[in-house]
Amino acid sequence: MPPITPAQMRVFIARMDSVIDMDKLQDTTPFTEAGADSLDFFNIISEIQTATGVYIEDEDIEQVNTLAGLVAYLNRRMM
Amino acid sequence: MPSVEVFRDEELVPLELRLPYRRDRNYLHSADIFQALTNVAQDHFAPDAYIESLVLRRQAVRQIRISFQAEAQMIGTFGIRVGREQVRGWLVETDAEVLTRVPYDECWAVAAVVGGPGFAQFMEPVAGYTAFEQLLVLMKVAGGQGQHDAWLCKITLSSPLFNTKPLAVRLRLRALQRFFSFEILQDECLLGEASASLRS
């Protein structure tokens, strides 16, 4: 499976029912700074698990609080 | 029968809900919100319309207005399935106080649950409770939070939630130390998913 790109993840997140301001969400912008609340973060984790089978552990949450971090984490886990 | 477009033109006006608190809660119960939305769906759109999704981003302590226009200060969103169409709406908390309180006791439903953390079901529908109320009880048991406060934050359904057959839920995901996600099963078929949050 080819690596996921931040652009693909952006599309994936944009399709979710969230309060994230996608215009503010750059690759290294923390999701919370783009307006995400805890429910949005949970939904991202949940949808990613459904789509990829990868479960993001609670202790890894700090690694995935940006688009770039989330993509890097997933690509490591799916290697 | 008028088309969905006719309904949409004439009926997409804001609606003020008048809901009570339940028992000792000081926030609106998701079951009351869900039922009110179901009534709106069936009264304003089609008799067989149903709530396909409901997202509650926080608990509402005052009355709610249903809006069919995007609202920046919304506390939640919902989707109504009308045949092949979906009508999207927003929930906005108003300044109107909640003036009534109704009794509500889950104990009879809790006593009828079979299972525990991870999976919970009813062997038959529980009289005196709506399907949605039964679902919430199952989620608390399957999430291992039966004694703790938890509130529904999201539900998505692929078909209406009827009370004709017993429900079951299976814990699918637990994350961020406060969210739980469940699969909703009825007659061994996957009906949808629901998520709950522990009160922070």
Side-chain angles (χ1 to χ4, degrees):
Chain A
M1 184 174 179
I4 299 172
T5 66
Q8 289 173 320
M9 185 55 63
R10 170 181 292 277
V11 171
F12 181 83
I13 292 174
R15 289 176 180 163
M16 294 170 52
D17 181 358
S18 78
V19 292
I20 298 173
D21 185 340
M22 297 305 295
D23 290 335
K24 288 185 178 178
L25 187 66
Q26 304 303 313
D27 288 0
T28 56
T29 305
F31 288 114
T32 51
E33 288 187 16
D37 60 16
S38 56
L39 179 58
D40 287 329
F41 212 38
F42 172 70
N43 285 335
I44 289 172
I45 293 171
S46 178
E47 295 292 329
I48 283 175
Q49 185 192 27
T50 300
T52 68
V54 173
Y55 173 60
I56 301 173
E57 305 283 345
D58 280 358
E59 54 264 30
D60 295 338
I61 289 300
E62 288 188 1
Q63 300 180 41
V64 299
N65 67 342
T66 65
L67 268 177
L70 180 57
V71 167
Y73 180 90
L74 288 174
N75 285 331
R76 282 197 305 272
R77 291 284 303 273
M78 292 191 299
M79 283 177 57
Chain B
M1 181 177 176
S3 68
V4 172
E5 287 70 29
V6 173
F7 280 118
R8 214 173 271 155
D9 288 342
E10 295 181 345
E11 302 297 341
L12 295 184
V13 295
L15 297 166
E16 304 281 341
L17 298 182
R18 285 290 179 263
L19 300 176
Y21 289 143
R22 288 193 179 194
R23 200 172 177 179
D24 57 354
R25 295 171 176 82
N26 291 316
Y27 58 91
L28 297 181
H29 199 282
S30 58
D32 290 322
I33 297 173
F34 186 85
Q35 187 60 54
L37 289 172
T38 299
N39 294 342
V40 168
Q42 295 176 349
D43 291 345
H44 289 255
F45 293 95
D48 60 349
Y50 70 94
I51 303 304
E52 188 174 60
S53 65
L54 172 62
V55 174
L56 297 171
R57 297 194 168 270
R58 61 172 176 82
Q59 295 167 322
V61 299
R62 296 186 301 277
Q63 296 290 358
I64 289 175
R65 180 178 74 247
I66 294 173
S67 174
F68 295 99
Q69 303 289 331
E71 299 255 4
Q73 299 302 317
M74 59 88 178
I75 65 161
T77 58
F78 62 92
I80 297 173
R81 173 60 56 181
V82 188
R84 294 183 177 182
E85 304 286 337
Q86 189 199 57
V87 180
R88 185 170 170 79
W90 286 259
L91 301 174
V92 181
E93 194 174 26
T94 72
D95 293 330
E97 301 286 334
V98 177
L99 300 176
T100 56
R101 188 177 296 276
V102 297
Y104 181 63
D105 195 335
E106 293 178 326
C107 69
W108 304 111
V110 172
V113 174
V114 175
F119 183 82
Q121 64 179 346
F122 291 115
M123 302 311 294
E124 56 186 29
V126 185
Y129 297 88
T130 66
F132 194 92
E133 289 167 340
Q134 293 173 59
L135 173 64
L136 296 181
V137 169
L138 290 175
M139 289 168 62
K140 287 180 184 177
V141 174
Q145 302 299 323
Q147 303 301 318
H148 298 278
D149 290 332
W151 52 280
L152 181 135
C153 53
K154 181 178 179 181
I155 182 170
T156 55
L157 295 169
S158 57
S159 60
L161 199 58
F162 291 125
N163 206 11
T164 53
K165 294 179 180 177
L167 289 165
V169 298
R170 180 185 300 128
L171 179 65
R172 188 180 74 86
L173 175 67
R174 191 192 329 240
L176 303 177
Q177 299 179 339
R178 63 174 280 202
F179 288 104
F180 300 78
S181 179
F182 305 88
E183 293 177 329
I184 306 169
L185 304 163
Q186 192 168 47
D187 207 18
E188 299 183 356
C189 293
L190 183 64
L191 201 63
E193 290 193 1
S195 300
S197 171
L198 292 178
R199 190 181 297 183
S200 57

